[in-house]
Amino acid sequence: MSDGDGELEARLVEQEEFEPSDEFVEQANVSDPAIYDEFEENWPHSWERAAEMLDWFEDYDSVLDDSEGPFYEWFQGGKLNASYNCVDRHVENGDKNRVAIKWEGEHGETRTYTYQDLYREVNEFSAALLDLGVEEDDVVTLYMPMVPELPIAMLACARIGAPHSVVFAGFSADALATRMNSADSRFLVTCDGYYRRGDALDHLEKANEGLSGVDHGVDAAVVVDRLGDDGFGHDLKGNQHDWDDLMADHDGARVDPVERDAEDMLFLMYTSGTTGEPKGVKHTTGGYLAYTSWTSHAVLDLKPEDTYWCSADIGWITGHSYIVYGPLALGTTTVMYEGTPDFPERDRLWEIVEKYAVDVFYTAPTAIRAFMKWGSEFPERRDLSSLRLLGTVGEPINPRAWKWYYQHIGDESCPVVDTWWQTETGGMMVTTLPGIGKMKPGSAGPPLPGIDARIVDTAGEEVEAGRAGYLTVNKPWPGMLRTLYNNDDRFVSEYWQEYSDPAADEWVYFPEDGAKIDDDGYITILGRVDDVLNVSGHRLGTMEIESAIVGVEGVAEAAVVGGDHEVKGEAVYAYVILEDGYEETAEMRERIIEGVEDAIGPIARPEQVIFTPELPKTRSGKIMRRLLEEIANGEELGDTTTLRNPDIVTEIQTKVQGD
Ligand code: WTA
């Protein structure tokens, strides 16, 4: 622990509440606490405030149509285009020379796109997509790393009304194929590769392998040349096109943004659930864009003249909502960084903050825990005084990490917003408003204005302050998912079953998170209550990992649980039973790890593979995951008397401790 941390221990450790500075409050986009009452009294019309942040080709007729709950519709009858709102209108309003995207590659090369540049490139790529045969409502899959062509492709899709489905570049070929098959997607935009810790990675090989697993065939693929001479020498196949050639062919092309209905799909985003099949979360044009614009304004406090940086990957919802759509709709400058935070050195992110004089920075607790571990000397090397506001998202942040972030990155002068939300919610739901609320480290804060979040027990009754319960959302909101792609039944059963009363037409959204609330109405998130792990802020279904392991030759059965991890938050622990005749060797362990990487990607790589002759099961044959978690965490074991095979527990424990 460095001296800075020692000092922190002494001074801030007892402090439980923090107030934003007067200086921050004075300049904040939202600083009048009356906003909470205004939203409540005027709900749902209060949401017009969000819709008014957008330019509509045609006004909407109603704010909310709740006649078919939980299939709510927002801003019905309105027509708009997301690409127009994120690009054209800023050019038309005299801001064409403002920087839209500042991109930095891992080796330090930079690219700057003004709104005019973005306008030109988005138009040209829209024209290229149309020429390739993409029609309105066709799903275009974008399997791309953090290159500027990714947001350009997203906005081009939005321009022509083709929903995009971005697949995180770290996912495997199989994961790509599964998502393209599920979305009936016949078009792909991908990239030859990218850099990670100085090395060029071959991405196109994975993309090609994924494409060969697409059942319905693929009409066209576009390949961005990121690596140049460092590339891997792949020849483009018959239906594959080079991005630069296409852009040259469509030089100067203009494509009118199509008028999309507010409820038309803007994009699909696949996320993990409790079954082995990822869920295609559907977001729409009007509600999503209004919601991300509003929350970028109210929570991230973004102003058009800001330089803003969210260090997430665009392959996840955080990047969609808060690198691309929200910030660009507001006409802000958004920063994109290709690489890792520790390349070439552990001060890389702070170097970028200094270089671009970043005003607002948004990251994840897993990153903050890594920064803490590396020590405060790295941020101390850089001038971070441009920062005005900090944010976190993705998993619970423990008070110590919160305070470290507040002190060492924010110099005790930037408010920290701890934002709870999900792929499904489209945008932030529970957080303080930085210009209004006091902050309590570890607690996300109250629900945002207009969001009716409550903590309930299993019967759906609100729990007392301080008691653990389940987080629910009792009113719809514009950014909500509309359904799961091609699967309305699963949409209802996944999210609206637990606490709703369909007969009374009362619909309650259940995000499957545990939480508690205090006397001030501040909500502390306790974590997932379903079989979904949160590894480095990424959602992974235990079933998905288990089925990957069971797919490995020689494996009979597998159970996956999350074990505590200092940096990742949770790590994957895999308990594996082998078939007779297979040996518990290092090679077998390697094959299991590879199996998981092939099916999902390196993010799901098991931290530990523990071979066991049996799994602890109840008399009815259910695996006792709680015990497996306790073993992973080296905790004292709870009740084992209901087990059919109690002896196995000590046997497994010995193995884990031995590893
Ligand atoms: C967790 C990421 C505590 C939560 C935007 C949720 C959080 C899941 C927070 C969604 C937070 C997200 N505090 N937990 N501030 N933010 N989570 O879909 O369990 O990748 O259900 O969306 O992350 O993960 P997803």
Side-chain angles (χ1 to χ4, degrees):
M1 204 184 277
S2 75
D3 284 334
D5 289 344
E7 204 185 292
L8 167 82
E9 292 297 283
R11 200 154 47 82
L12 297 185
V13 79
E14 299 292 337
Q15 194 175 335
E16 286 174 4
E17 293 185 1
F18 294 78
E19 294 283 346
S21 66
D22 292 344
E23 202 188 337
F24 183 88
V25 172
E26 268 161 33
Q27 63 76 57
N29 286 341
V30 177
S31 56
D32 184 353
I35 192 161
Y36 288 95
D37 288 342
E38 277 166 34
F39 257 90
E40 193 163 328
E41 281 157 20
N42 204 14
W43 196 94
H45 299 285
S46 32
W47 283 113
E48 290 198 66
R49 183 193 290 260
E52 281 163 8
M53 301 185 79
L54 305 178
D55 281 7
W56 298 77
F57 297 132
E58 251 173 63
D59 269 346
Y60 44 84
D61 307 317
S62 69
V63 174
L64 169 66
D65 176 355
D66 58 3
S67 57
E68 309 259 343
F71 297 92
Y72 297 100
E73 299 201 345
W74 287 88
F75 310 123
Q76 232 180 26
K79 287 195 186 295
L80 78 166
N81 184 287
S83 168
Y84 179 84
N85 274 281
C86 291
V87 187
D88 303 39
R89 64 169 173 165
H90 306 309
V91 172
E92 290 168 11
N93 292 344
D95 291 325
K96 68 181 189 329
N97 293 327
R98 184 180 299 135
V99 174
I101 299 175
K102 270 206 182 288
W103 176 84
E104 177 154 324
E106 205 186 57
H107 290 295
E109 62 275 56
T110 59
R111 282 202 244 162
T112 300
Y113 294 81
T114 62
Y115 276 95
Q116 176 66 30
D117 296 333
L118 192 60
Y119 175 78
R120 203 190 62 240
E121 304 242 345
V122 167
N123 270 283
E124 289 172 359
F125 196 61
S126 299
L129 288 175
L130 291 175
D131 261 2
L132 293 175
V134 178
E135 291 178 8
E136 195 172 345
D137 294 320
D138 284 346
V139 175
V140 178
T141 302
L142 310 178
Y143 183 45
M144 296 164 87
M146 288 289 280
V147 289
E149 287 84 353
L150 173 52
I152 291 168
M154 290 164 77
L155 293 165
C157 287
R159 193 169 194 86
I160 63 172
H164 53 73
S165 166
V166 179
V167 177
F168 173 57
F171 275 134
S172 66
D174 280 3
L176 171 65
T178 308
R179 284 158 180 74
M180 288 189 76
N181 284 326
S182 162
D184 309 309
S185 175
R186 302 180 149 274
F187 298 93
L188 177 74
V189 184
T190 187
C191 191
D192 63 344
Y194 52 104
Y195 294 96
R196 267 296 171 280
R197 294 204 171 82
D199 295 331
L201 295 190
D202 190 345
H203 187 64
L204 188 51
E205 183 177 289
K206 272 200 311 184
N208 280 335
E209 199 186 317
L211 283 172
S212 65
V214 178
D215 305 331
H216 49 254
V218 172
D219 291 354
V222 180
V223 183
V224 172
D225 177 1
R226 161 73 185 112
L227 297 177
D229 292 342
D230 289 343
F232 292 84
H234 296 289
D235 291 326
L236 296 188
K237 303 187 176 146
N239 62 354
Q240 297 187 332
H241 306 263
D242 175 70
W243 172 286
D244 293 329
D245 290 348
L246 283 178
M247 294 298 265
D249 291 347
H250 295 88
D251 189 26
R254 293 288 174 269
V255 174
D256 284 340
V258 298
E259 297 195 2
R260 297 285 278 170
D261 284 339
E263 281 295 318
D264 279 343
M265 171 158 52
L266 178 60
F267 67 87
L268 276 178
M269 167 110 254
Y270 281 86
T271 187
S272 295
T274 34
T275 73
E277 282 286 295
K279 307 182 278 198
V281 170
K282 173 180 160 182
H283 282 294
T284 55
T285 311
Y288 172 83
L289 200 62
Y291 197 73
T292 50
S293 301
W294 162 248
T295 46
S296 296
H297 170 83
V299 182
L300 295 174
D301 197 46
L302 294 188
K303 326 247 190 299
E305 53 281 8
D306 278 339
T307 298
Y308 156 74
W309 184 20
C310 166
S311 74
D313 191 293
I314 295 177
W316 307 98
I317 191 71
T318 303
H320 279 53
S321 301
Y322 299 113
I323 296 178
V324 182
Y325 285 111
L328 293 180
L330 298 187
T332 309
T333 299
T334 186
V335 177
M336 274 179 83
Y337 169 54
E338 175 187 43
T340 55
D342 53 354
F343 187 86
E345 289 196 58
R346 289 173 165 180
D347 66 346
R348 184 63 187 271
L349 300 195
W350 319 126
E351 183 194 346
I352 295 174
V353 169
E354 180 181 68
K355 182 167 165 189
Y356 299 115
V358 170
D359 298 278
V360 177
F361 179 64
Y362 192 34
T363 193
T366 180
I368 298 168
R369 288 192 299 267
F371 305 148
M372 240 171 102
K373 210 174 146 203
W374 297 340
S376 50
E377 69 211 70
F378 296 101
E380 275 159 19
R381 284 185 191 170
R382 302 288 172 179
D383 177 5
L384 306 182
S385 61
S386 59
L387 289 170
R388 177 174 90 241
L389 174 68
L390 301 173
T392 97
V393 58
E395 48 176 325
I397 178 164
N398 53 311
R400 189 157 169 260
W402 192 102
K403 289 175 186 176
W404 189 93
Y405 192 36
Y406 181 73
Q407 186 182 39
H408 294 289
I409 307 304
D411 196 26
E412 297 181 48
S413 67
C414 303
V416 174
V417 284
D418 173 358
T419 59
W420 176 88
W421 58 291
Q422 306 182 295
T423 304
E424 292 86 343
T425 69
M428 302 156 175
M429 300 287 281
V430 177
T431 169
T432 52
L433 284 168
I436 299 180
K438 61 183 174 196
M439 298 156 271
K440 302 187 187 187
S443 168
L448 281 175
I451 300 298
D452 184 0
R454 302 178 196 177
I455 314 300
V456 301
D457 60 19
T458 40
E461 299 296 326
E462 280 190 66
V463 300
E464 280 169 44
R467 289 276 175 82
Y470 302 97
L471 180 61
T472 56
V473 187
N474 294 258
K475 281 196 190 113
W477 65 99
M480 67 197 300
L481 80 166
R482 297 305 194 265
T483 190
L484 294 176
Y485 189 63
N486 276 342
N487 207 338
D488 289 348
D489 290 346
R490 190 169 172 202
F491 167 68
V492 177
S493 65
E494 286 264 353
Y495 304 107
W496 305 93
Q497 194 105 308
E498 229 79 19
Y499 296 107
S500 301
D501 183 357
D505 197 25
E506 279 173 19
W507 298 96
V508 176
Y509 175 79
F510 182 42
E512 307 213 61
D513 270 327
K516 60 183 185 180
I517 190 162
D518 70 9
D519 289 325
D520 291 334
Y522 274 50
I523 292 173
T524 297
I525 307 294
L526 300 170
R528 305 282 310 183
V529 295
D530 55 3
D531 292 328
V532 171
L533 306 184
N534 192 327
V535 178
S536 301
H538 302 320
R539 266 165 76 171
L540 298 171
T542 51
M543 279 274 282
E544 275 173 80
I545 307 176
E546 284 166 9
S547 65
I549 297 177
V550 173
V552 173
E553 194 197 315
V555 173
E557 204 181 339
V560 163
V561 301
D564 297 340
H565 189 279
E566 197 188 348
V567 173
K568 297 179 183 174
E570 266 186 313
V572 175
Y573 274 66
Y575 297 87
V576 177
I577 305 180
L578 296 181
E579 282 171 7
D580 284 349
Y582 286 87
E583 304 225 351
E584 302 177 357
T585 57
E587 194 219 324
M588 190 69 206
R589 191 171 269 134
E590 219 22 68
R591 284 191 22 227
I592 289 169
I593 291 172
E594 265 168 36
V596 174
E597 292 194 348
D598 287 349
I600 303 167
I603 44 166
R605 189 186 162 90
E607 188 79 12
Q608 280 218 37
V609 176
I610 302 124
F611 294 115
T612 168
E614 276 177 65
L615 290 165
K617 288 190 177 161
T618 60
R619 293 202 173 83
S620 59
K622 224 175 147 250
I623 299 174
M624 289 270 280
R625 289 170 184 282
R626 179 179 54 77
L627 282 174
L628 294 174
E629 276 168 17
E630 286 164 356
I631 295 173
N633 293 331
E635 288 163 7
E636 213 167 297
L637 299 186
D639 189 11
T640 57
T641 52
T642 54
L643 287 183
R644 187 163 67 185
N645 50 352
D647 294 343
I648 194 67
V649 175
T650 19
E651 197 175 315
I652 303 178
Q653 230 176 356
T654 321
K655 283 200 166 199
V656 172
Q657 283 156 5
D659 273 348

